[in-house]
Amino acid sequence: MKIIYLHHSGFVVELDKNTLVFDAITYIQPQYLKKGRRKYFFASHAHTDHFSQIIYNYGTDFDTRYILSDDITRRGGKKTTFIKPYEHLHYDDIKCGPVEIDTFGSTDQGVSFLVQAEGKVIFHAGDLNWWDWSPEARPEIDRAAEERDFKAEIAKIKEFLETNHRKINVAFVPVDSRLGRSATKAAEYFVDELHPQILAPMHCWDEYSVITDLQQACYGKDVKILTMSKRNEIIYAD
């Protein structure tokens, strides 16, 4: 498995036979979209820092599929499936094997994705985050409700994983520097409750120093926190 950081919340996950692309809003270098592989493009919601029409530029290959949150403007033809929270998709390909997709909710807009393919379980949170804004920055926010809603969604994911005897191999979770001291709260809680093997921080707005804060907060926990320092870099390869 190879993970390429694109920008913000955008990542490419290259498995042996399938390529998964999440929330891409920038140009993707051709070497990360190899021909002859099944390619799945995911977009968690319509916000411009998560969805761009640019992903349709990569749809000429017959092996391309788009799985988009249903709040996104509908286009894309037969290759596109629009999906709501708590739905399931199953793709089965003779050459590349089955891909199972389950969606969960968000604490902002759209969906989060749990993808099972080639023996791996991959979670992309979209804007599912513990939006613990300071009262000074966002006085209109109900901080207690934000905490409650985030933890409730994590509980649903946890129940699904336990029921289906699954463990998350890689999770992409927001670590938003605009939240100040609360930037790492969601990722810390995610690690404590769902125990992913690998966590890739995202939604950092190119403020990569917040990743160090998360690594320090998770020191001693059984999780590998990935790091990145620039766009379009390989951040993990096994």
Side-chain angles (χ1 to χ4, degrees):
M1 177 172 58
K2 183 184 294 182
I3 301 173
I4 300 97
Y5 167 65
L6 298 174
H7 169 53
H8 197 54
S9 296
F11 293 86
V12 175
V13 179
E14 185 180 290
L15 302 173
D16 290 337
K17 299 177 181 179
N18 296 278
T19 297
L20 315 176
V21 183
F22 295 96
D23 284 10
I25 59 171
T26 54
Y27 172 74
I28 305 173
Q29 296 179 11
Q31 67 264 32
Y32 299 143
L33 296 174
K34 298 174 183 176
K35 291 185 177 180
R37 303 165 58 86
R38 182 72 74 185
K39 291 177 278 292
Y40 296 87
F41 284 81
F42 299 85
S44 62
H45 59 291
H47 290 169
T48 55
D49 61 327
H50 290 262
F51 170 72
S52 170
Q53 302 281 352
I54 196 173
I55 61 174
Y56 292 116
N57 293 345
Y58 308 104
T60 56
D61 190 332
F62 73 94
D63 280 337
T64 303
R65 299 287 182 271
Y66 298 97
I67 300 93
L68 312 182
S69 170
D70 75 341
D71 65 306
I72 294 171
T73 301
R74 291 176 177 266
R75 59 161 289 184
K78 294 180 180 179
K79 296 181 181 180
T80 303
T81 300
F82 295 93
I83 195 164
K84 297 181 175 68
Y86 318 118
E87 292 188 343
H88 175 81
L89 291 176
H90 173 84
Y91 294 93
D92 203 352
D93 181 78
I94 295 175
K95 181 177 66 175
C96 299
V99 173
E100 304 281 347
I101 301 164
D102 290 277
T103 55
F104 292 88
S106 172
T107 45
D108 190 345
Q109 187 171 318
V111 302
S112 48
F113 293 105
L114 186 76
V115 183
Q116 301 176 67
E118 299 185 45
K120 302 293 186 182
V121 179
I122 298 156
F123 181 81
H124 190 283
D127 263 355
L128 172 60
N129 194 15
W130 186 340
W131 296 107
D132 188 32
W133 295 95
S134 70
E136 294 77 18
R138 298 286 296 273
E140 77 280 8
I141 294 293
D142 185 337
R143 298 177 70 194
E146 292 291 336
E147 177 179 356
R148 181 181 64 246
D149 293 347
F150 174 73
K151 289 183 175 180
E153 201 61 38
I154 295 299
K156 293 175 185 176
I157 299 167
K158 185 175 184 178
E159 181 181 11
F160 178 90
L161 293 170
E162 290 177 347
T163 299
N164 292 279
H165 307 289
R166 296 286 185 267
K167 179 179 176 64
I168 295 174
N169 298 105
V170 180
F172 301 94
V173 180
V175 181
D176 194 318
S177 60
R178 299 175 302 170
L179 296 175
R181 293 181 179 178
S182 296
T184 64
K185 260 188 172 182
E188 290 180 60
Y189 189 82
F190 192 100
V191 167
D192 290 340
E193 290 294 307
L194 301 182
H195 310 291
Q197 293 177 349
I198 298 168
L199 188 142
M202 66 177 190
H203 214 278
C204 299
W205 302 100
D206 290 330
E207 293 289 340
Y208 303 117
S209 62
V210 74
I211 298 173
T212 302
D213 297 336
L214 178 62
Q215 290 172 328
Q216 292 173 348
C218 291
Y219 180 78
K221 297 180 181 179
D222 188 20
V223 61
K224 180 179 180 65
I225 306 295
L226 301 184
T227 188
M228 66 279 292
S229 59
K230 61 183 179 180
R231 302 181 186 184
N232 299 306
E233 69 172 322
I234 297 171
I235 61 172
Y236 180 81
D238 63 2

